Amino acid sequence: MSAPTSTLDAFYGKKVLIITNDGRTLVGSFQGYDQTINVVLTDSSERVYSSHQGIQTVPLGAYMVRGDNIAIVGEVNEEEDAQLDFDAIKAEPLRHIVH
Amino acid sequence: MLFYSFFKSLVGKEIVVELKNDMSLHGTLDSVDQYLNMKLLDIAVTDAEKFPHMLAVKNIFIRGSVIRYVHLPAEEVDVQQLQDASRRDAEQAKHSTKTGAAAAAAAGKGQPTKDTRPDQSDKVAAS
């Protein structure tokens, strides 16, 4: 089949947030993707959510996320993101995608 | 390809997408492709208390394979028309399967029938 018409071109060079099928939240600079939505991030980190403490950030560096394992790719509004108080945001970790 | 065309007709409309991790988001449908991957603009998570993961995110791409439901605006959908089109589509697929098998049998003339499935999928996609 031909390439998807709904592309991720708009995300190039932007800060994006990826939610994976196993419920992880990755944030990084969007460097590229292909037709199966494999995505390459640089300067990436994982945001670990927990119900008893604020968001923990784990630096990861350059990351390639396989398309199979991606649920959502979202563009992060960096100004709004900087305003967030990570210590105050408490939430259960996301559930896995169950097909 | 029927539902791809159907979703294309909903571009610009407000929809609610429920994912297979129980998260539910609403936003404006910006684009859709043949895998039913969708791009939504100006999204908000329906239960932001429980899912504060996307507070600073407005525009998203959702992989079609993780979507469980799409809640549609009732006034934008002609259910009768969609039902008719679905039936026509299914009927056409059945028909092209039959003719595909008949053609293969005629071409084979008693030789082992070869797998014609790639042909059929081509026909379905083209119709």
Side-chain angles (χ1 to χ4, degrees), chain B residues 37-113:
Chain B
N37 296 331
M38 292 178 191
K39 278 167 81 177
L40 299 186
L41 302 180
D42 201 18
I43 60 120
V45 181
T46 307
D47 188 355
E49 284 275 287
K50 202 173 161 201
F51 304 110
H53 307 71
M54 296 206 288
L55 288 174
V57 178
K58 288 277 162 282
N59 303 335
I60 61 166
F61 170 93
I62 308 175
R63 208 169 190 275
S65 61
V66 304
I67 297 175
R68 181 183 292 141
Y69 297 121
V70 181
H71 304 231
L72 306 162
E75 65 279 5
E76 301 295 344
V77 184
D78 185 338
V79 178
Q80 190 61 49
Q81 195 190 343
L82 188 61
Q83 201 173 60
D84 292 348
S86 304
R87 291 217 172 99
R88 228 177 299 128
D89 214 47
E91 196 58 41
Q92 223 163 41
K94 211 164 69 181
H95 184 69
S96 67
T97 307
K98 271 187 200 154
T99 52
K109 280 187 184 157
Q111 282 162 13
T113 18

Side-chain angles (χ1 to χ4, degrees), chain A residues 9-29:
Chain A
D9 287 350
F11 295 141
Y12 272 117
K14 302 251 172 70
K15 186 171 176 181
V16 296
L17 180 148
I18 292 180
I19 293 180
T20 61
N21 288 7
D22 59 357
R24 289 183 218 217
T25 306
L26 305 170
V27 179
S29 173

Side-chain angles (χ1 to χ4, degrees), chain A residues 1-2 4-8 17 36-37 49 67 70-75 77 81 89 91 94-95 98-99, chain B residues 4 19-23 31-34 39 50-53 55-63 65-66:
Chain A
M1 266 204 187
S2 55
T5 47
S6 186
T7 67
L8 294 169
L17 180 148
T36 61
I37 326 290
Y49 288 79
I70 290 178
I72 296 180
V73 184
E75 183 185 336
N77 182 321
D81 195 53
I89 299 176
L94 285 176
R95 253 173 280 191
V98 182
H99 291 292
Chain B
Y4 168 44
L19 305 182
K20 291 178 186 173
N21 60 7
D22 297 343
M23 187 193 253
S31 66
V32 62
D33 67 17
Q34 71 266 37
K39 278 167 81 177
K50 202 173 161 201
F51 304 110
H53 307 71
L55 288 174
V57 178
K58 288 277 162 282
N59 303 335
I60 61 166
F61 170 93
I62 308 175
R63 208 169 190 275
S65 61
V66 304

